[in-house]
Amino acid sequence: MSGYHRLRPADLEALAAGPGSAHLVRTLRAGQVSKRMLHLRAVLDLADPEPTSAYFALLTAAVRRDPAVGPELLALPHTGAWLAVILRRLRQRPDCPTAPAASGRTTAGLEPPSGADHPAEVDLGYLGALAATAAIRAGLDFELTLPAPDGAVFLPSLGRARCGGIGPVTVSRSGDRVWVGSVEVPAPDEDLPAGAGVDRDGWSGLHRLTSSADGLGVELWLDDLDPYRDCHRLCATGRLDAAVVGRWQRMLDDAWPILVRHHRGHAEAISEGLRTVVPLQADSASAGVNVTSMDAFGAVSMTPPADGTALALGLLHEFQHAKLGATIDIEPLHHAEDRRYYYAPWRDDPRPLGAALHGVYAFVAVTEFWRTQRAVLPPGRSRLAEVEFARWRDRVARTCADIRAYGPLTAAGRRFMAGLGEVIDGWRDEGVPAEAAALAREAADDHWTVWRLRNRRPEARLVRRLAEAWRTGAVCPTITVPVAVRPADGRWLSRSPRLDLVRLRLADPARFERLRSGAERLADALPEASDGDLALAAGDHLTARDWYRRQLRQQPDQVAAWVGLTLADARLPDADAEMRADPELCRAVLCAVAESGAVPDPLELSRWLAPVTCASAADAPSPDESVPGDPPLGEGFPGVASGTARQGGPQSAGPAPVRSVAAQGRS
């Protein structure tokens, strides 16, 4: 007997109001298993039957022997990732080359792996590996030939055999012994202790992390082996040594009690639904990256966390994404035809509706986390929690309101967003210290300034006209310049060294003072930060502005220096402030002038540009001024983007969604 997965209104209300129950997580996982069954059926319909028929026959025989192994293997996170990859390949027309997978992360010193350069038959071999694993777990004798790219065969939930060579390998079970080529596979043992997986005689087992607090436990694979763990090109690590695995275990032992004792509902959901952590490489520009793939329910990819609190927050945040993705698979929350982009204060790029909705749901939980932590942390450590609570409460409320006002939501989506709105409204009147509120506003201001400089583009022909007027010594014309939102290329997941320094100032004042005094080198502590950033974080805004000003005379297009200059000038008293034009216009004109002459003083140029008004492209009075060949300008952010730097920013009215023709396939 078959039927449809359904979520009741009460289920959506429970998810909106909190973490949802363990029973609800099981419902979501069951939906993912059914989705993967449909995907597997599609693979069998599309693929060459020669290899897949043998794989599927063994899988079917194993499930007949032990019916539980089928759902268990389909529920493995990277079974879903593999199905997504192979379906994309099988559906690709032969006359269309496969586009490289979009990298969710491009960081200094790290190069994401290249896309698939092997035939689809190699990817289909993962079905054989699933079948072999099912037969091993069901106690079924078999013999099966599998492709062995790079001389290795991975058996999901068991480990990897390195056989050498590059040809096919025979996997077999006879009695109690399992072989992959000449490598013997240890018998599956569900009672293995936590720790590093075994590495001997060509076999590598999966690492296992466990922790328990107040009667609630969690068990996780630390997966550095599965070939589909990095299908989104996030720079997964290679094999970890025992010392690194031990550090992850210690972090989990610090994190788990925080979740259990102060965020019990989230801990119960994570305990039920999270199965795998994929460790990512870290570098100075991207430490603290956490990512969840909608194809891999039950897995999270993470760089090494700074401490137990960071790991607790990362697990809570990412499992929100997993739950919402599984929810939308059962009950769509918005219509697909929306082409708008939304300002999301946790990303540097404009976000489509689905991604913005995901962000709101995850950051409601982040806000709740800091709301609780500020009450349980000792006074000296609660300052950061106060700032984070104030920051995310206000930012999430604004994006939630945008989605409710502009997003084409389904009836279920309207109910869900209303529930999130009620949660946020319940925090609105909670007081925070004045210092925390001020720092939260500065953090919001920082992000908005980065966002506008990355994504808002003044109309090119008028920029050239202004640059020519400056070069000839003319008076600046009084004109209106249309500004369009066009998502910038480059890293989507990024961090602000300025905010990192503020956090350091709050969490470790003594170290911050060592950096200020020169007793500790800034390049060693935060390689991405500059002396201007350090002065800005310390509140020395005049020194910071002067540093950024000099930097822009040398590198006129540097976004970080423009952000710092804008922020430092805006925080000075009115009598000392000098920026009079939008920073994105100043940057564009300065770069245009620098192409054929000396780089002017950015503050002098900003004063000269004071007569210019910037307007969202949709509001601009002269649409015929657009440059032939440019993409359509689209709808802008009314009420926020125009005016001087001191008038713009997050303290202004919240940005409305933007329609952009750039990068429409981006998620």
Side-chain angles (χ1 to χ4, degrees):
M1 183 176 179
S2 63
Y4 292 98
H5 293 278
R6 295 287 189 223
L7 291 175
R8 302 167 301 160
D11 294 329
L12 291 174
E13 291 168 4
L15 285 167
S21 65
H23 172 76
L24 186 50
V25 172
R26 288 192 290 272
T27 298
L28 297 176
R29 183 169 57 234
Q32 292 298 293
V33 169
S34 292
K35 172 185 170 182
R36 292 170 187 179
M37 290 176 68
L38 293 172
H39 284 177
L40 180 56
R41 179 68 266 172
V43 169
L44 296 172
D45 290 342
L46 293 168
D48 183 347
E50 183 176 350
T52 57
S53 58
Y55 302 157
F56 191 65
L58 179 59
L59 178 60
T60 302
V63 172
R64 287 198 186 105
R65 171 73 69 89
D66 183 354
V69 299
E72 287 173 0
L73 290 175
L74 283 173
L76 291 175
H78 295 117
T79 300
W82 164 69
L83 284 164
V85 168
I86 189 59
L87 278 175
R88 281 194 289 268
R89 296 203 69 186
L90 292 174
R91 288 169 173 163
Q92 185 75 33
R93 296 206 321 265
D95 58 333
C96 294
T98 302
S103 172
R105 179 173 174 232
T106 304
T107 56
L110 294 180
E111 184 66 29
S114 60
D117 56 0
H118 52 258
E121 287 72 17
V122 171
D123 285 319
L124 287 170
Y126 198 85
L127 175 57
L130 286 166
T133 301
I136 293 167
R137 292 195 173 279
L140 183 68
D141 286 353
F142 70 95
E143 186 173 293
L144 188 68
T145 300
L146 296 179
D150 303 321
V153 172
F154 176 76
L155 297 178
S157 79
L158 298 178
R160 181 183 65 193
R162 285 210 166 275
C163 312
I166 57 174
V169 171
T170 298
V171 183
S172 63
R173 181 185 186 276
S174 179
D176 293 331
R177 304 189 75 179
V178 177
W179 296 86
V180 179
S182 61
V183 177
E184 186 167 11
V185 177
D189 186 354
E190 304 297 339
D191 297 321
L192 280 173
V198 64
D199 280 300
R200 67 169 179 266
D201 301 326
W203 178 256
S204 296
L206 288 169
H207 309 304
R208 187 164 175 265
L209 308 177
T210 66
S211 196
S212 181
D214 297 347
L216 182 62
V218 65
E219 298 181 6
L220 302 171
W221 298 115
L222 186 63
D223 189 351
D224 54 6
L225 296 176
D226 194 300
Y228 295 92
R229 72 192 188 278
D230 200 19
C231 60
H232 293 284
R233 303 175 66 219
L234 297 167
C235 302
T237 69
R239 187 63 168 168
L240 304 178
D241 61 32
V244 174
V245 175
R247 285 197 289 274
W248 277 95
Q249 179 61 58
R250 290 191 294 275
M251 289 292 182
L252 183 62
D253 286 335
D254 290 341
W256 191 242
I258 295 173
L259 290 172
V260 171
R261 291 166 187 163
H262 306 304
H263 312 275
R264 179 86 186 197
H266 287 284
E268 290 172 349
I270 290 168
S271 176
E272 180 61 43
L274 190 63
R275 291 291 175 265
T276 300
V277 172
V278 175
L280 301 177
Q281 300 176 56
D283 70 353
S284 61
S286 62
V289 171
N290 308 318
V291 182
T292 297
S293 167
M294 295 302 99
D295 297 323
F297 178 85
V300 55
S301 300
M302 311 180 76
T303 52
D307 53 29
T309 299
L311 179 56
L313 179 58
L315 294 178
L316 179 151
H317 177 162
E318 294 306 322
F319 199 60
Q320 290 291 99
H321 285 299
K323 287 184 295 182
L324 187 59
T327 296
I328 292 172
D329 281 340
I330 297 174
E331 187 69 67
L333 301 181
H334 62 90
H335 298 291
E337 68 269 15
D338 185 46
R339 307 306 295 176
R340 293 179 179 85
Y341 282 97
Y342 296 77
Y343 171 67
W346 42 84
R347 288 282 296 242
D348 286 351
D349 51 343
R351 307 300 287 149
L353 175 57
L357 199 157
H358 260 280
V360 167
Y361 187 56
F363 275 89
V364 165
V366 168
T367 308
E368 178 193 356
F369 179 89
W370 289 117
R371 175 176 179 262
T372 301
Q373 290 303 109
R374 65 187 186 138
V376 300
L377 290 172
R381 297 176 55 202
S382 64
R383 295 173 67 205
L384 178 60
E386 293 279 10
V387 173
E388 294 294 285
F389 168 67
R391 175 190 181 190
W392 295 120
R393 175 189 60 181
D394 298 340
R395 299 299 96 199
V396 169
R398 184 155 293 169
T399 307
C400 181
D402 286 346
I403 292 173
R404 294 178 71 183
Y406 297 96
L409 302 173
T410 63
R414 290 192 294 273
R415 185 181 303 113
F416 183 77
M417 294 304 297
L420 290 178
E422 289 179 8
V423 172
I424 297 166
D425 288 344
W427 302 330
R428 192 177 301 277
D429 296 329
E430 293 190 16
V432 294
E435 180 195 30
L439 289 172
R441 286 192 296 272
E442 288 184 6
D445 202 9
D446 186 297
H447 184 272
W448 168 245
T449 305
V450 171
W451 193 97
R452 66 188 295 181
L453 280 160
R454 280 176 56 89
N455 302 297
R456 288 176 48 80
R457 311 300 174 89
E459 198 274 291
R461 188 174 65 85
L462 295 180
V463 167
R464 292 193 294 270
R465 176 182 166 188
L466 289 167
E468 183 59 27
W470 169 273
R471 290 191 198 99
T472 60
V475 174
C476 180
T478 302
I479 59 174
T480 297
V481 176
V483 180
V485 171
R486 296 174 187 158
D489 293 329
R491 188 170 64 241
W492 305 354
L493 304 174
S494 63
R495 65 188 302 171
S496 164
R498 297 166 301 279
L499 296 184
D500 286 343
L501 285 166
V502 171
R503 292 188 188 98
L504 181 64
R505 192 186 87 202
L506 295 175
D508 193 346
R511 189 180 187 195
F512 184 82
E513 286 306 315
R514 289 198 300 273
L515 293 174
R516 284 282 286 161
S517 67
E520 182 177 352
R521 278 171 27 99
L522 181 61
D524 294 335
L526 283 170
E528 296 296 311
S530 67
D531 290 339
D533 298 333
L534 186 59
L536 185 67
D540 189 351
H541 301 136
L542 194 59
T543 297
R545 188 181 69 176
D546 288 343
W547 190 93
Y548 297 126
R549 185 182 194 172
R550 292 192 300 272
Q551 182 68 12
L552 289 172
R553 299 294 294 271
Q554 301 174 37
Q555 294 179 276
D557 196 35
Q558 189 182 79
V559 172
W562 276 107
V563 172
L565 182 74
T566 303
L567 295 173
D569 190 80
R571 293 172 190 173
L572 288 168
D574 288 345
D576 297 326
E578 296 188 48
M579 290 196 73
R580 296 292 181 265
D582 282 24
E584 54 268 38
L585 177 66
C586 292
R587 179 189 178 211
V589 175
L590 188 77
C591 291
V593 172
E595 287 177 359
S596 58
V599 180
D601 180 343
L603 293 180
E604 184 180 351
L605 178 64
S606 178
R607 291 192 298 270
W608 181 82
L609 287 168
V612 178
T613 300
C614 287
S616 298
D619 303 329
S622 304
D624 57 327
E625 291 184 336
S626 60
V627 178
D630 276 1
L633 293 173
E635 180 183 343
F637 281 161
V640 177
S642 58
T644 69
R646 300 181 70 77
Q647 294 171 326
Q651 67 271 26
S652 304
V658 56
R659 184 179 303 278
S660 171
V661 298
Q664 290 196 0
R666 215 163 168 177
S667 62

